[in-house]
Amino acid sequence: MTPLVRQASEQGVLELVGELSDNRAYACYLSGEFPEAVDAQSDALQHYRGVEDWLRAGHAARSLSLLFRYQGEIARAWEVGHEAVTVLERRCVACQE
């Protein structure tokens, strides 16, 4: 396997893990398991950053911000929410170019 094919394969796995973590976070949120939802959403955000999928990273950060707010962690919600806005605004500008 060439290095380029190996890298593409590894990125696909990271994207899949990100999606699974994102779905798990939503399921935990729906069942009221907020600490578990935060852990899963943090994992999703980390994986999306790892493959430089900035649109998904922005949405994951937005979701994580909401989860922090639901737990009363306003400072962390603000911090992660600001990151989400920054990432998504950058992505929006890149799409328009």
Side-chain angles (χ1 to χ4, degrees):
M1 189 180 317
T2 67
L4 186 57
V5 171
R6 185 177 299 118
Q7 179 183 0
S9 176
E10 289 171 1
Q11 282 188 331
V13 169
L14 286 177
E15 287 176 5
L16 178 60
V17 171
E19 287 179 35
L20 292 172
S21 295
D22 211 0
N23 291 337
R24 180 173 182 269
Y26 185 63
C28 290
Y29 158 75
L30 289 177
S31 62
E33 299 170 358
F34 293 109
E36 292 82 0
V38 166
D39 290 343
Q41 196 65 57
S42 296
D43 288 346
L45 178 56
Q46 179 181 354
H47 283 93
Y48 292 144
R49 285 177 183 153
V51 295
E52 298 181 356
D53 187 338
W54 301 116
L55 182 59
R56 287 183 178 173
H59 287 292
R62 178 193 56 81
S63 295
L64 184 58
S65 174
L66 291 173
L67 291 168
F68 281 138
R69 185 179 62 124
Y70 296 152
Q71 294 189 112
E73 298 180 46
I74 304 305
R76 289 180 79 185
W78 176 260
E79 179 183 326
V80 177
H82 181 68
E83 176 188 350
V85 169
T86 302
V87 168
L88 292 171
E89 282 179 343
R90 247 187 276 141
R91 174 69 181 161
C92 184
V93 169
C95 289
Q96 293 176 357
E97 293 178 349

